[in-house]
Amino acid sequence: MEYTVASEFNGDILVVAIHGRATEKNTHLIVNDYLKIISETKSKKVLSDIRHVEGRISFGSLYFTMGNLPKNRRRDFHNAVVDLEKNRRFDEFLETTAATAGVYLQLFYDYDEALKWLRELPEE
């Protein structure tokens, strides 16, 4: 398999780490695996660690992917995404596209800051 999606809890925060190569062909599989984990755990606070993902999909594919997320899942949880600084241009588009699609998403380049942000969110 070109990628792995693994998860563990850090207190009440679900940490989902994605490793491997993201391509135009497998992105929907990665997203499905990711959403399945969140759905099974019923987590409301999720830290998505994408620092170990090689490659990024095109902006057009990202826009299409975000727009096709299940509407009932878009506001189910708060999502802190941790990435590498070198991917800032992609991340800015991800953040904008997520907001347009109605997804709760905040980007970080520091893992501990992402955890802090999630911990400071009010309990639902």
Side-chain angles (χ1 to χ4, degrees):
M1 188 171 274
E2 292 179 286
Y3 70 91
T4 60
V5 181
S7 65
E8 65 182 17
F9 277 94
N10 184 325
D12 67 336
I13 297 169
L14 176 67
V15 178
V16 180
I18 303 169
H19 290 79
R21 179 160 271 313
T23 66
E24 303 289 331
K25 292 182 180 181
N26 72 4
T27 297
H28 69 283
L29 297 172
I30 294 170
V31 170
N32 287 343
D33 290 350
Y34 171 81
L35 290 174
K36 182 179 178 189
I37 290 169
I38 294 168
S39 179
E40 289 173 351
T41 61
K42 298 180 177 31
S43 297
K44 298 295 182 189
K45 297 179 181 182
V46 180
L47 187 150
S48 303
D49 186 350
I50 63 171
R51 295 175 295 176
H52 302 286
V53 174
E54 299 171 31
R56 295 293 183 268
I57 60 174
S58 69
F59 285 178
S61 291
L62 176 59
Y63 182 82
F64 181 75
T65 298
M66 295 303 288
N68 284 306
L69 290 174
K71 291 192 186 317
N72 64 329
R73 298 306 322 271
R74 293 183 186 191
R75 294 204 177 263
D76 279 358
F77 59 95
H78 292 276
N79 189 1
V81 177
V82 180
D83 199 0
L84 300 173
E85 182 71 37
K86 72 179 186 176
N87 298 316
R88 181 174 288 277
R89 187 167 171 248
F90 176 87
D91 296 337
E92 288 170 349
F93 188 76
L94 170 61
E95 195 168 37
T96 300
T97 305
T100 301
V103 176
Y104 292 132
L105 183 142
Q106 182 72 36
L107 277 151
F108 295 89
Y109 298 102
D110 182 277
Y111 187 92
D112 293 329
E113 283 183 31
L115 280 175
K116 181 179 181 230
W117 179 77
L118 287 167
R119 287 188 178 120
E120 291 175 351
L121 290 173
E123 294 299 321
E124 294 182 12

mmCIF file of all heavy atoms in Angstrom, residues 12 44-46 77-80 104 114-124:
data_model
loop_
_atom_site.group_PDB
_atom_site.id
_atom_site.type_symbol
_atom_site.label_atom_id
_atom_site.label_comp_id
_atom_site.label_asym_id
_atom_site.label_seq_id
_atom_site.Cartn_x
_atom_site.Cartn_y
_atom_site.Cartn_z
ATOM 1 N N ASP A 12 -8.280 13.155 25.404
ATOM 2 C CA ASP A 12 -9.542 13.074 24.655
ATOM 3 C C ASP A 12 -9.375 13.468 23.187
ATOM 4 O O ASP A 12 -10.349 13.555 22.447
ATOM 5 C CB ASP A 12 -10.619 13.940 25.310
ATOM 6 C CG ASP A 12 -10.309 15.438 25.237
ATOM 7 O OD1 ASP A 12 -9.120 15.793 25.117
ATOM 8 O OD2 ASP A 12 -11.254 16.244 25.320
ATOM 9 N N LYS A 44 -14.548 14.220 18.779
ATOM 10 C CA LYS A 44 -14.946 15.598 18.496
ATOM 11 C C LYS A 44 -13.738 16.515 18.312
ATOM 12 O O LYS A 44 -13.865 17.628 17.843
ATOM 13 C CB LYS A 44 -15.826 16.147 19.625
ATOM 14 C CG LYS A 44 -17.117 15.396 19.789
ATOM 15 C CD LYS A 44 -17.997 15.571 18.575
ATOM 16 C CE LYS A 44 -19.322 14.851 18.743
ATOM 17 N NZ LYS A 44 -20.088 14.825 17.507
ATOM 18 N N LYS A 45 -12.567 16.034 18.738
ATOM 19 C CA LYS A 45 -11.323 16.800 18.598
ATOM 20 C C LYS A 45 -10.289 15.889 17.944
ATOM 21 O O LYS A 45 -9.919 14.861 18.507
ATOM 22 C CB LYS A 45 -10.819 17.273 19.961
ATOM 23 C CG LYS A 45 -11.767 18.235 20.662
ATOM 24 C CD LYS A 45 -11.224 18.637 22.011
ATOM 25 C CE LYS A 45 -12.167 19.586 22.730
ATOM 26 N NZ LYS A 45 -11.611 20.010 24.026
ATOM 27 N N VAL A 46 -9.823 16.307 16.763
ATOM 28 C CA VAL A 46 -8.919 15.464 15.976
ATOM 29 C C VAL A 46 -7.689 16.265 15.570
ATOM 30 O O VAL A 46 -7.801 17.390 15.079
ATOM 31 C CB VAL A 46 -9.627 14.933 14.711
ATOM 32 C CG1 VAL A 46 -8.689 14.066 13.893
ATOM 33 C CG2 VAL A 46 -10.899 14.176 15.074
ATOM 34 N N PHE A 77 -16.684 17.499 13.981
ATOM 35 C CA PHE A 77 -15.499 17.544 14.832
ATOM 36 C C PHE A 77 -14.633 18.746 14.470
ATOM 37 O O PHE A 77 -14.741 19.304 13.389
ATOM 38 C CB PHE A 77 -14.686 16.248 14.698
ATOM 39 C CG PHE A 77 -14.228 15.955 13.296
ATOM 40 C CD1 PHE A 77 -12.973 16.344 12.864
ATOM 41 C CD2 PHE A 77 -15.055 15.280 12.397
ATOM 42 C CE1 PHE A 77 -12.546 16.080 11.574
ATOM 43 C CE2 PHE A 77 -14.635 15.008 11.106
ATOM 44 C CZ PHE A 77 -13.384 15.403 10.692
ATOM 45 N N HIS A 78 -13.776 19.127 15.401
ATOM 46 C CA HIS A 78 -12.781 20.182 15.175
ATOM 47 C C HIS A 78 -11.480 19.484 14.790
ATOM 48 O O HIS A 78 -11.081 18.509 15.424
ATOM 49 C CB HIS A 78 -12.586 21.024 16.433
ATOM 50 C CG HIS A 78 -13.782 21.845 16.759
ATOM 51 N ND1 HIS A 78 -14.020 23.069 16.179
ATOM 52 C CD2 HIS A 78 -14.821 21.618 17.586
ATOM 53 C CE1 HIS A 78 -15.140 23.562 16.641
ATOM 54 N NE2 HIS A 78 -15.655 22.700 17.500
ATOM 55 N N ASN A 79 -10.819 20.026 13.785
ATOM 56 C CA ASN A 79 -9.650 19.383 13.223
ATOM 57 C C ASN A 79 -8.457 20.334 13.208
ATOM 58 O O ASN A 79 -8.518 21.387 12.582
ATOM 59 C CB ASN A 79 -9.982 18.925 11.798
ATOM 60 C CG ASN A 79 -8.930 18.057 11.195
ATOM 61 O OD1 ASN A 79 -7.922 17.746 11.814
ATOM 62 N ND2 ASN A 79 -9.151 17.660 9.964
ATOM 63 N N ALA A 80 -7.400 19.948 13.907
ATOM 64 C CA ALA A 80 -6.124 20.656 13.838
ATOM 65 C C ALA A 80 -5.229 19.847 12.905
ATOM 66 O O ALA A 80 -5.006 18.659 13.139
ATOM 67 C CB ALA A 80 -5.486 20.766 15.215
ATOM 68 N N TYR A 104 -14.612 22.404 9.938
ATOM 69 C CA TYR A 104 -13.832 23.010 11.015
ATOM 70 C C TYR A 104 -12.390 22.526 10.879
ATOM 71 O O TYR A 104 -12.099 21.368 11.127
ATOM 72 C CB TYR A 104 -14.345 22.583 12.386
ATOM 73 C CG TYR A 104 -15.700 23.104 12.766
ATOM 74 C CD1 TYR A 104 -16.666 22.251 13.274
ATOM 75 C CD2 TYR A 104 -16.013 24.455 12.667
ATOM 76 C CE1 TYR A 104 -17.909 22.721 13.659
ATOM 77 C CE2 TYR A 104 -17.250 24.937 13.042
ATOM 78 C CZ TYR A 104 -18.191 24.063 13.532
ATOM 79 O OH TYR A 104 -19.412 24.530 13.912
ATOM 80 N N ALA A 114 -0.857 22.688 18.095
ATOM 81 C CA ALA A 114 -2.103 22.083 17.621
ATOM 82 C C ALA A 114 -2.836 21.392 18.779
ATOM 83 O O ALA A 114 -4.050 21.557 18.942
ATOM 84 C CB ALA A 114 -1.817 21.092 16.499
ATOM 85 N N LEU A 115 -2.096 20.647 19.587
ATOM 86 C CA LEU A 115 -2.702 19.995 20.754
ATOM 87 C C LEU A 115 -3.280 21.027 21.720
ATOM 88 O O LEU A 115 -4.393 20.872 22.223
ATOM 89 C CB LEU A 115 -1.670 19.136 21.494
ATOM 90 C CG LEU A 115 -1.373 17.765 20.919
ATOM 91 C CD1 LEU A 115 -0.239 17.109 21.690
ATOM 92 C CD2 LEU A 115 -2.608 16.882 20.909
ATOM 93 N N LYS A 116 -2.533 22.092 21.947
ATOM 94 C CA LYS A 116 -2.981 23.146 22.862
ATOM 95 C C LYS A 116 -4.285 23.766 22.367
ATOM 96 O O LYS A 116 -5.222 23.978 23.138
ATOM 97 C CB LYS A 116 -1.895 24.217 22.996
ATOM 98 C CG LYS A 116 -2.249 25.337 23.935
ATOM 99 C CD LYS A 116 -1.106 26.355 24.035
ATOM 100 C CE LYS A 116 -1.511 27.429 25.014
ATOM 101 N NZ LYS A 116 -1.329 28.758 24.510
ATOM 102 N N TRP A 117 -4.355 24.065 21.073
ATOM 103 C CA TRP A 117 -5.562 24.655 20.497
ATOM 104 C C TRP A 117 -6.767 23.740 20.716
ATOM 105 O O TRP A 117 -7.828 24.188 21.130
ATOM 106 C CB TRP A 117 -5.346 24.930 19.013
ATOM 107 C CG TRP A 117 -6.539 25.508 18.324
ATOM 108 C CD1 TRP A 117 -6.981 26.795 18.394
ATOM 109 C CD2 TRP A 117 -7.441 24.825 17.451
ATOM 110 N NE1 TRP A 117 -8.116 26.946 17.607
ATOM 111 C CE2 TRP A 117 -8.407 25.751 17.028
ATOM 112 C CE3 TRP A 117 -7.517 23.511 16.987
ATOM 113 C CZ2 TRP A 117 -9.445 25.414 16.151
ATOM 114 C CZ3 TRP A 117 -8.544 23.177 16.118
ATOM 115 C CH2 TRP A 117 -9.494 24.123 15.714
ATOM 116 N N LEU A 118 -6.584 22.457 20.442
ATOM 117 C CA LEU A 118 -7.695 21.516 20.626
ATOM 118 C C LEU A 118 -8.098 21.395 22.081
ATOM 119 O O LEU A 118 -9.293 21.339 22.399
ATOM 120 C CB LEU A 118 -7.308 20.131 20.074
ATOM 121 C CG LEU A 118 -7.259 20.019 18.548
ATOM 122 C CD1 LEU A 118 -6.563 18.742 18.113
ATOM 123 C CD2 LEU A 118 -8.671 20.092 17.964
ATOM 124 N N ARG A 119 -7.125 21.381 22.977
ATOM 125 C CA ARG A 119 -7.447 21.259 24.406
ATOM 126 C C ARG A 119 -8.199 22.477 24.932
ATOM 127 O O ARG A 119 -8.980 22.362 25.882
ATOM 128 C CB ARG A 119 -6.165 21.052 25.214
ATOM 129 C CG ARG A 119 -5.596 19.662 25.035
ATOM 130 C CD ARG A 119 -4.444 19.396 25.991
ATOM 131 N NE ARG A 119 -3.980 18.037 25.784
ATOM 132 C CZ ARG A 119 -2.764 17.702 25.413
ATOM 133 N NH1 ARG A 119 -1.848 18.634 25.227
ATOM 134 N NH2 ARG A 119 -2.440 16.448 25.246
ATOM 135 N N GLU A 120 -7.967 23.633 24.335
ATOM 136 C CA GLU A 120 -8.616 24.863 24.787
ATOM 137 C C GLU A 120 -10.035 25.028 24.237
ATOM 138 O O GLU A 120 -10.769 25.904 24.688
ATOM 139 C CB GLU A 120 -7.756 26.067 24.418
ATOM 140 C CG GLU A 120 -6.474 26.126 25.228
ATOM 141 C CD GLU A 120 -5.542 27.242 24.814
ATOM 142 O OE1 GLU A 120 -5.792 27.907 23.762
ATOM 143 O OE2 GLU A 120 -4.546 27.465 25.530
ATOM 144 N N LEU A 121 -10.423 24.188 23.277
ATOM 145 C CA LEU A 121 -11.781 24.260 22.745
ATOM 146 C C LEU A 121 -12.765 23.821 23.819
ATOM 147 O O LEU A 121 -12.483 22.913 24.605
ATOM 148 C CB LEU A 121 -11.930 23.355 21.513
ATOM 149 C CG LEU A 121 -11.200 23.792 20.268
ATOM 150 C CD1 LEU A 121 -11.298 22.699 19.201
ATOM 151 C CD2 LEU A 121 -11.758 25.085 19.728
ATOM 152 N N PRO A 122 -13.932 24.437 23.862
ATOM 153 C CA PRO A 122 -14.931 24.027 24.853
ATOM 154 C C PRO A 122 -15.406 22.604 24.581
ATOM 155 O O PRO A 122 -15.467 22.159 23.443
ATOM 156 C CB PRO A 122 -16.059 25.032 24.681
ATOM 157 C CG PRO A 122 -15.841 25.670 23.360
ATOM 158 C CD PRO A 122 -14.399 25.518 23.020
ATOM 159 N N GLU A 123 -15.741 21.906 25.641
ATOM 160 C CA GLU A 123 -16.300 20.550 25.519
ATOM 161 C C GLU A 123 -17.692 20.646 24.942
ATOM 162 O O GLU A 123 -18.428 21.584 25.228
ATOM 163 C CB GLU A 123 -16.348 19.869 26.883
ATOM 164 C CG GLU A 123 -14.983 19.603 27.485
ATOM 165 C CD GLU A 123 -14.106 18.681 26.668
ATOM 166 O OE1 GLU A 123 -14.633 17.701 26.092
ATOM 167 O OE2 GLU A 123 -12.887 18.925 26.581
ATOM 168 N N GLU A 124 -18.043 19.684 24.123
ATOM 169 C CA GLU A 124 -19.388 19.699 23.526
ATOM 170 C C GLU A 124 -20.285 18.717 24.219
ATOM 171 O O GLU A 124 -19.940 17.752 24.747
ATOM 172 C CB GLU A 124 -19.285 19.343 22.035
ATOM 173 C CG GLU A 124 -18.545 20.429 21.295
ATOM 174 C CD GLU A 124 -18.465 20.152 19.792
ATOM 175 O OE1 GLU A 124 -19.148 19.264 19.299
ATOM 176 O OE2 GLU A 124 -17.698 20.851 19.152
#
